[in-house]
Amino acid sequence: MRKSRGTRSLTGSVIVVPFAASMKLLKSLTLVLFAAVGLIALVSLESAHALSTGPFLERTGAPDEQTCNTCHRTYPLDSGPGRVAIEGLPTQYTPGQTYPVTVRVADPLAKDWGFQITAITEEGQAAGFFQSNTIAIAALGPSMRLGRFYAQHTLNGTYDGIRGEVSWALFWKAPSQDLGPVTFYAAGNAANGDHTDFYDYIYTTNVTIDGLRRFVRVRLEAPAPSAALGSGERVVIRWTATDGDSAVPASFRVLLSTDGGENYPSVLADSLPATARSFVWAIPDGLVTTDARIRVVVVDSEGVERVDQSRSNLTIGPLGLSQALLLAEAPLGGDFTRQAWADVDGDGRQDVVVGRNAGGVLFYRQSTDGTFLEATEESGLTFPGMSGPWPGAMLTATAVRIWPSCRSTPRASGGMKETGRSRVSARRHRSRGSRIHGRSSGWTWTVMDDSTSSQAEPPECWR
């Protein structure tokens, strides 16, 4: 009798599988394979939106941590018009006590939000833990790598569609014993609501509180995070300092890093007096870097040193735009509250739009020799100022923005297409309304939207 062909087992015997059964088995395996592929695709799709439920741990910008800018990397860290703040903390904590804490993120045009916060000692160890009584906040930890505790937004805490500013209220349980100063680090995400990692601003901040004993403390106030500084210019480095229970500030030292804060080999100023709260630094003409950071060191009357430094990298280079020159040439008077930089005319050089305290904006094109020529009227980039449709309009420091997101838009067939056109928006201060210009050709603009609503935003990409 003829036997069906079979499959040899591990023992060398033959397993007889009829042809019909073989086909049935093949169909079953095919269905399993398609199900697995579908599951993988589903997981991949979910992963694309997973961070709406909260970021990975260790993304606050604390020592040995990354920030949300690792994924949301379109813009440099802390470079947007908004901020993140930690509010409600006491100046000193009592071991074992629970304190309410608020994390607040503000950005004039964001409409999707997120945050993460942690608390650590001067040695980088976890200090207490967080608690939440709302489904908008998750209290997590300890993290696997650093053993720290965190609080962060959940899917219910993204405040989708809310404009301008949001906040999350949570609780911090202080450690059971006095661990000395505790520093809270927070990162905030001001997202544009498109549910991707692109064109979202990330902000960071930190706040230090003392335990049962107060220590001397220093806080760097300027230059602002991610500021662009000009080679050959004079820049004011400014800080604040507070006394401790048994010591006071005795002297200050100012240091420079050009490797993103890994090392601070350059001493800009040493042995500044106890009363010093600022130092004017003449930036060398030849200094060019995108990884500069400033550190201020306070030495107290007991010889103990404490420091504070830039939270994100500063850019130093030949901007060709002197702040003193701009202030002197500002029409109608008034200084500038905001500068927005971009290569508007596509010549490879950064141009700038600035908002004035006197109202309105000015547009400067950078020439081949690095100087800037005011070309506001020729460009068509006009905003009402001291006169016109909005009498007395004043632009805030967060009011001027160049929008590069129009440079690429999704194709219907997938991928991105380049449009190569920018938008400029401005918002009034102490009154409602904004105006948006879209670049129509070359380096000229036309009005796209002129709204009296404080909720105005740039429309879909200028085409």
Side-chain angles (χ1 to χ4, degrees):
M1 180 176 175
R2 196 174 177 182
K3 295 185 178 179
S4 300
R5 301 178 67 181
T7 302
R8 186 170 299 277
S9 70
L10 292 177
T11 61
S13 59
V14 174
I15 303 174
V16 179
V17 181
F19 178 77
S22 298
M23 294 303 297
K24 185 175 182 181
L25 177 61
L26 180 60
K27 289 181 179 180
S28 299
L29 291 174
T30 302
L31 290 174
V32 170
L33 178 61
F34 274 107
V37 171
L39 179 60
I40 292 172
L42 179 61
V43 170
S44 299
L45 181 61
E46 290 297 323
S47 297
H49 300 280
L51 296 189
S52 294
T53 63
F56 299 111
L57 297 184
E58 302 178 0
R59 293 294 190 274
T60 66
D64 300 318
E65 293 191 18
Q66 298 176 326
T67 70
C68 304
N69 196 231
T70 303
C71 295
H72 301 267
R73 56 185 180 271
T74 301
Y75 304 115
L77 185 65
D78 293 311
S79 63
R83 66 186 180 92
V84 59
I86 304 171
E87 302 172 351
L89 288 170
T91 57
Q92 293 177 261
Y93 67 87
T94 300
Q97 293 295 308
T98 300
Y99 298 93
V101 182
T102 297
V103 178
R104 188 178 306 276
V105 180
D107 187 283
L109 292 176
K111 54 184 179 181
D112 211 358
W113 311 84
F115 84 100
Q116 187 180 89
I117 186 173
T118 192
I120 61 174
T121 66
E122 289 184 321
E123 294 75 28
Q125 303 302 310
F129 57 90
F130 296 94
Q131 299 172 333
S132 169
N133 59 3
T134 169
I135 60 173
I137 301 170
L140 304 170
S143 60
M144 293 183 63
R145 187 171 67 93
L146 298 174
R148 297 171 180 173
F149 292 87
Y150 298 83
Q152 62 188 41
H153 71 274
T154 65
L155 184 60
N156 294 292
T158 59
Y159 297 114
D160 191 19
I162 301 297
R163 299 297 184 84
E165 179 179 297
V166 299
S167 63
W168 298 266
L170 54 138
F171 300 92
W172 175 64
K173 177 81 169 185
S176 58
Q177 58 182 340
D178 184 7
L179 300 181
V182 170
T183 301
F184 294 76
Y185 292 86
N189 185 355
N192 63 0
D194 66 358
H195 302 291
T196 72
D197 292 340
F198 300 104
Y199 303 108
D200 305 326
Y201 281 105
I202 303 299
Y203 305 103
T204 59
T205 191
N206 62 77
V207 175
T208 300
I209 65 175
D210 287 306
L212 299 178
R213 178 189 175 193
R214 290 188 305 127
F215 292 88
V216 171
R217 189 129 0 257
V218 63
R219 176 84 174 181
L220 178 65
E221 299 291 342
S226 294
L229 311 178
S231 302
E233 295 185 357
R234 297 168 65 85
V235 175
V236 177
I237 300 172
R238 190 174 65 254
W239 61 88
T240 60
T242 54
D243 297 343
D245 286 336
S246 60
V248 295
S251 65
F252 296 92
R253 186 165 65 252
V254 183
L255 309 175
L256 171 68
S257 169
T258 56
D259 59 7
E262 292 292 328
N263 302 281
Y264 287 85
S266 302
V267 179
L268 304 182
D270 198 5
S271 301
L272 296 175
T275 55
R277 295 297 182 270
S278 65
F279 171 74
V280 179
W281 175 34
I283 303 177
D285 289 331
L287 181 57
V288 177
T289 179
T290 58
D291 299 313
R293 297 201 183 200
I294 302 294
R295 170 177 286 179
V296 178
V297 182
V298 58
V299 182
D300 68 23
S301 53
E302 296 177 342
V304 177
E305 294 187 356
R306 281 188 166 76
V307 306
D308 193 28
Q309 57 267 323
S310 306
R311 297 194 305 272
S312 51
N313 292 343
L314 310 172
T315 298
I316 301 176
L319 299 181
L321 183 63
S322 168
Q323 291 182 352
L325 180 63
L326 273 179
L327 295 178
E329 293 184 347
L332 302 178
D335 58 1
F336 298 112
T337 61
R338 176 69 180 169
Q339 299 179 3
W341 295 82
D343 178 13
V344 172
D345 50 13
D347 62 0
R349 293 182 293 273
Q350 294 280 23
D351 308 304
V352 62
V353 175
V354 292
R356 297 184 298 113
N357 282 339
V361 300
L362 297 175
F363 170 54
Y364 286 81
R365 295 181 66 198
Q366 185 174 182
S367 61
T368 55
D369 62 1
T371 59
F372 282 74
L373 303 176
E374 198 262 311
T376 309
E377 185 174 353
E378 301 93 311
S379 72
L381 184 65
T382 56
F383 287 84
M386 295 186 69
S387 60
W390 297 343
M394 295 179 66
L395 299 175
T396 69
T398 62
V400 181
R401 182 184 290 187
I402 293 179
W403 296 79
S405 57
C406 268
R407 295 188 182 278
S408 60
T409 57
R411 295 182 184 274
S413 58
M416 306 294 286
K417 67 177 179 180
E418 295 297 322
T419 64
R421 296 178 179 178
S422 305
R423 295 167 292 179
V424 175
S425 66
R427 178 172 294 184
R428 290 189 298 167
H429 179 52
R430 295 175 183 167
S431 55
R432 301 169 66 86
S434 63
R435 174 175 283 193
I436 299 159
H437 284 68
R439 188 160 65 87
S440 56
S441 63
W443 51 275
T444 60
W445 280 279
T446 57
V447 177
M448 298 176 65
D449 182 74
D450 196 348
S451 173
T452 58
S453 169
S454 63
Q455 300 298 318
E457 67 163 322
E460 291 304 315
C461 192
W462 179 247
R463 305 187 190 281

